[in-house]
Amino acid sequence: MKRLKIESLQKIHNRNLDITSYIVDTEHLLITGQLKEKNLITVYVQSGETIEPNIFHHMEIQLLVKTSELKIVDLHVKIPDAPHDDLCREMENSLNDIKGLFIAPGFTSKVKKLAGGVKGCVHLTTLLLSMAPAALQGYWIFEARNEKRNEESAFEIEKYLIDTCWAWRKDGPLVKNLNG
């Protein structure tokens, strides 16, 4: 497909994810995530009632992560806006079972098992699963702020990077340079 010029197209929907990492203390990071979804045009429900452009999903998650093991030690979920306010807000506790999980390979499947499908909210799960790689990036930046630190350990690279993408493929130049 040839790249389309979007300037002349009508925007109808927007989903925005915003994820930020904060230093809490020497052993913890706070990872905050926010999902906002908007309809940008007037839409109609089956009854014929109109819904004007607005934010119809607004989800927030805070994860307290212990840096030494990338363990989620606490979390807080808030749903300021949802299409079915009271019903959707019942899901604010749906992620409680992820407390104690490690952000490591297998995290996605564990989250889906604990909070996927009818056990949870697809929007909260989507946000949480986007927060995990951002938490890793925040962790690496947290560690890299120390000028005297050692380079990433082989353990970290092996566990979190190798074979996660083309650049970090096992037979690629980045991994070969690590092994000298």
Side-chain angles (χ1 to χ4, degrees):
M1 178 174 105
K2 188 169 77 171
R3 188 175 181 342
L4 297 175
K5 295 180 181 180
I6 61 172
E7 299 80 20
S8 62
L9 302 176
Q10 182 182 11
K11 248 191 223 189
I12 62 171
H13 170 263
N14 175 263
R15 176 179 281 186
N16 189 322
L17 297 173
D18 183 25
I19 303 167
T20 305
S21 301
Y22 300 89
I23 297 172
V24 174
D25 56 36
T26 59
E27 297 181 1
H28 297 92
L29 291 176
L30 179 68
I31 313 300
T32 65
Q34 186 170 210
L35 178 148
K36 283 188 179 180
E37 194 162 39
K38 303 175 195 179
N39 62 305
L40 303 172
I41 62 172
T42 301
V43 295
Y44 303 89
V45 293
Q46 286 180 328
S47 67
E49 179 185 349
T50 61
I51 300 174
E52 296 302 322
N54 71 342
I55 294 172
F56 61 95
H57 286 115
H58 181 186
M59 317 290 187
E60 298 173 352
I61 300 174
Q62 291 185 346
L63 300 176
L64 184 63
V65 176
K66 186 170 183 179
T67 57
S68 63
E69 48 191 347
L70 288 173
K71 181 179 182 179
I72 298 171
V73 294
D74 207 355
L75 68 101
H76 177 77
V77 174
K78 185 172 181 180
I79 302 175
D81 285 303
H84 312 286
D85 288 327
D86 292 339
L87 199 56
C88 291
R89 284 195 184 95
E90 290 177 17
M91 292 292 94
E92 286 184 340
N93 295 317
S94 66
L95 298 179
N96 284 350
D97 289 343
I98 69 149
K99 288 180 192 174
L101 288 186
F102 298 90
I103 299 172
F107 180 78
T108 297
S109 61
K110 289 176 185 174
V111 167
K112 287 181 178 181
K113 186 177 180 182
L114 292 169
V118 297
K119 296 179 207 167
C121 165
V122 69
H123 295 89
L124 287 174
T125 303
T126 297
L127 176 56
L128 177 62
L129 293 178
S130 296
M131 291 172 71
L136 282 173
Q137 202 66 47
Y139 162 73
W140 285 321
I141 291 170
F142 173 79
E143 290 295 320
R145 68 197 161 86
N146 180 356
E147 185 179 351
K148 305 273 190 234
R149 77 179 181 103
N150 294 330
E151 288 297 313
E152 287 83 14
S153 70
F155 168 76
E156 287 177 336
I157 290 173
E158 181 76 31
K159 185 173 181 180
Y160 293 109
L161 290 178
I162 293 181
D163 285 341
T164 59
C165 71
W166 173 254
W168 282 105
R169 66 192 183 280
K170 198 175 281 187
D171 62 347
L174 291 177
V175 174
K176 285 179 184 171
N177 287 342
L178 284 175
N179 297 326

